[in-house]
Amino acid sequence: MTMGAGSPLDALDRDSLILPVRRVLADEAAELIDWQHEPLGYTVRTPVSGGIYRLSGRARTHDGVRPWSLILKIARSPAGGNWPDGRRVPAGWGADPAHTQYWQREALAYRSGLLDDLPGDLVAPHCFGVDERGEDTIWLWLEAVHETERRPWPLARYGLAARHLGQFNGAYLAGRPIPTQLWLNRGFLRAWSAETANVALIEQADTWTHPFVRRAFPKPVAERLLRLYAEREDFLAALDRQPQTLCHLDAFPGNLLARRVAAGREQTVALDWAFVGIGAVGEEVGQFIACSLHLGEIPMAEAAQLRAVVLDGYREGICEAGWSGSLVELERAIYRGAAVAAGLRWAFIAANSAVRATRDDRARAMLERNTGRPFAEGMTERAHLVYFLLDWLDEARALLPR
């Protein structure tokens, strides 16, 4: 397929392709015959994304003509750019290696070798090259991973993915040295909650008088959300005292692929390592549970089952990685870490997405798309998510170290 004028792939040519194609075919003398490319549909949520494309074609090798395929992921400097909604990116945003969305982080993670040998059965796509295209663009040539599990995943596959995340996190809790590169995310949840915990609508009394809002939220929720907002630092400080480990930090079904390899062994392939950094035990799966529910991958009627399956799988994975401490303390740490991460990352977003949907057609369409339900039902699903996250945090309060 041919890209339109001004496409990021305008500079794509035979010289750009030949090296990654030779690497994917493991043939240094391979010669390109033809190729095509197409954009992969995904929602752009950040100004550092330049798009993701699937490339495929044929090459002449020492074994004859062979097909090949690659994924090209483009990262770009956000300087002078815009958010998807048209807002201008503030000067310096995403430019510092310590920033939560530092635009070069994923490229540096691949270049450093950090993702080449992850512990357990969580793996990253193989990288066939990192190309700097001037000072403001990086092309990542990645493995085209073929998923072997049908979507939507059954709950058991969520548990297995959580187990693999536990093996990954658990290795660094059992003695594997935690990486120290300056570009790794640190304090991600603190920065995320500061950016997303918008209480302007929540504080307005008339927000909760709209008929659809009153129907979706029959039990008052504004005071609970405002209490969470006031207690954010207490929760974050408690998480800082938890065991720390290396985390993906954006685990949800859209970034996880199920793959079966030799002898039927199952792997979980984690895509998009742009947030990789240091986090508390449990933080990884709090995001996994809450985001899966927010995006409608699992209906709210199965939320408690999803949580139980994921937390159990995650604990098993950490134990398989060599955890030698108290199992009781591990379970408590996982529960409170997951509850705090889930609540601080998604409670405010979920509440605001519901009330905005009563005021804005774009927000309404997004709510219906994410929940996969008509507006009124989608509002109810979103309200149930808010209640679920706040109730979970209430349960976790008793387990927080003082």
Side-chain angles (χ1 to χ4, degrees), residues 35-89:
W35 70 87
Q36 52 275 331
H37 46 77
E38 61 179 345
L40 293 183
Y42 78 110
T43 302
V44 177
R45 295 185 173 90
T46 167
V48 304
S49 174
I52 303 177
Y53 302 87
R54 182 184 300 278
L55 293 96
S56 59
R58 298 176 301 158
R60 190 169 288 106
T61 73
H62 64 274
D63 292 326
V65 174
R66 293 172 57 192
W68 57 267
S69 61
L70 284 163
I71 299 297
L72 173 60
K73 181 174 183 179
I74 300 177
R76 63 187 180 190
S77 168
N82 296 310
W83 285 88
D85 63 7
R87 288 176 296 135
R88 197 73 171 167
V89 175

Side-chain angles (χ1 to χ4, degrees), residues 101-121:
Q101 296 196 46
Y102 177 47
W103 74 280
Q104 297 188 51
R105 181 174 290 115
E106 186 170 22
L108 289 168
Y110 274 111
R111 274 183 168 163
S112 71
L114 178 67
L115 307 182
D116 293 345
D117 183 29
L118 297 176
D121 289 313

Side-chain angles (χ1 to χ4, degrees), residues 273-309:
W273 290 83
F275 287 172
V276 61
I278 313 304
V281 63
E283 192 170 335
E284 197 91 280
V285 287
Q287 159 68 4
F288 187 29
I289 294 165
C291 192
S292 298
L293 295 169
H294 186 268
L295 296 179
E297 301 283 346
I298 295 289
M300 285 306 303
E302 298 178 27
Q305 294 172 270
L306 173 68
R307 180 175 60 188
V309 166

